[in-house]
Amino acid sequence: MKTFIDSMLALMCYQVSSSKKKTIETESIAIKDFISFILEKYPVVTDSILIRNITFLIQTYDNSFNDEERLLLKQAFKLISDRLREKDAIRVISYEKYNGVVLDWTSPKQSKKILHAIEYPVPSTDFLGANVIEFAYKNTRQQFINDSKNSIVKINLLNTEVAVENEEPLVYMPRHATPAPAGIVF
């Protein structure tokens, strides 16, 4: 009877410990802040730092990244390769225009593979019409590593400040002033 009670107690303790909520840290940044984010968030690694399991969600709005975006992303991922360890894992998923996994779980030390995926993004076609962000969270929970830092970093390519084109600037004119002839600027 004592063995049965001990077994039940051990089973209950196991269930409680295994049913702890899996915490996934989430960050959302603009592409212009990506390099400074990496410098701040991912210090040069030591053995005392927990294993990192990072999913990068990159917003897409065209067939591929423009030259500036590509350059920033490649520099940022080179920096990640220098700052993370072989036992860490990263994944790149695109969303919005093109939905899908651009780079499946890989070591950040495989910089050539990562840079190739950024240079020539070819998302998998399995996600047409799917909610890729939801997939990213679900998959990160499935790949969850206990006693590690599991995170999702959403990189926004579109600037939040949208320039208004073809709109005349507002000019203050005193009430009784005569407007200047067209083409003359004071």
Side-chain angles (χ1 to χ4, degrees):
M1 182 69 171
K2 184 176 188 246
T3 317
F4 176 73
I5 292 173
D6 289 340
S7 299
M8 290 303 290
L9 184 60
L11 181 62
M12 287 174 33
C13 289
Y14 174 76
Q15 283 181 329
V16 169
S17 67
S18 67
S19 66
K20 288 182 182 176
K21 190 165 191 141
K22 296 178 178 180
T23 303
I24 297 173
E25 186 178 319
T26 303
E27 300 277 349
S28 181
I29 58 168
I31 190 167
K32 65 182 178 147
D33 301 324
F34 192 25
I35 291 176
S36 58
F37 170 81
I38 292 167
L39 291 170
E40 179 185 315
K41 197 73 173 171
Y42 305 114
V44 177
V45 297
T46 63
D47 289 337
S48 64
I49 294 176
L50 296 172
I51 292 174
R52 293 184 177 118
N53 187 23
I54 309 164
T55 298
F56 292 97
L57 276 169
I58 302 178
Q59 180 183 34
T60 57
Y61 57 90
D62 205 351
N63 293 338
S64 65
F65 306 117
N66 69 33
D67 292 339
E68 183 181 351
E69 294 163 349
R70 187 178 299 109
L71 179 65
L72 279 168
L73 288 169
K74 287 172 76 173
Q75 288 177 343
F77 280 104
K78 281 181 190 175
L79 187 58
I80 287 170
S81 291
D82 292 339
R83 291 181 163 257
L84 299 181
R85 298 167 292 198
E86 183 73 34
K87 60 185 174 181
D88 295 324
I90 66 169
R91 182 180 205 181
V92 178
I93 297 176
S94 63
Y95 71 97
E96 225 166 85
K97 171 82 174 179
Y98 287 103
N99 290 337
V101 177
V102 174
L103 178 69
D104 212 349
W105 294 110
T106 190
S107 166
K109 294 299 182 186
Q110 294 184 356
S111 59
K112 286 183 181 180
K113 183 177 181 180
I114 296 166
L115 296 178
H116 182 77
I118 297 301
E119 184 71 33
Y120 308 102
V122 181
S124 59
T125 57
D126 301 344
F127 299 97
L128 297 175
N131 185 342
V132 177
I133 295 174
E134 184 179 304
F135 165 79
Y137 277 95
K138 181 180 177 185
N139 190 264
T140 301
R141 274 189 229 96
Q142 289 172 347
Q143 298 293 327
F144 192 88
I145 301 170
N146 290 323
D147 299 326
S148 68
K149 287 193 85 152
N150 297 276
S151 59
I152 292 180
V153 178
K154 183 179 168 198
I155 303 165
N156 300 309
L157 296 185
L158 296 175
N159 292 330
T160 54
E161 302 170 0
V162 178
V164 178
E165 295 182 17
N166 299 326
E167 191 171 300
E168 294 294 322
L170 295 175
V171 178
Y172 173 76
M173 292 177 54
R175 185 173 215 162
H176 299 289
T178 307
I184 299 175
V185 178
F186 292 104

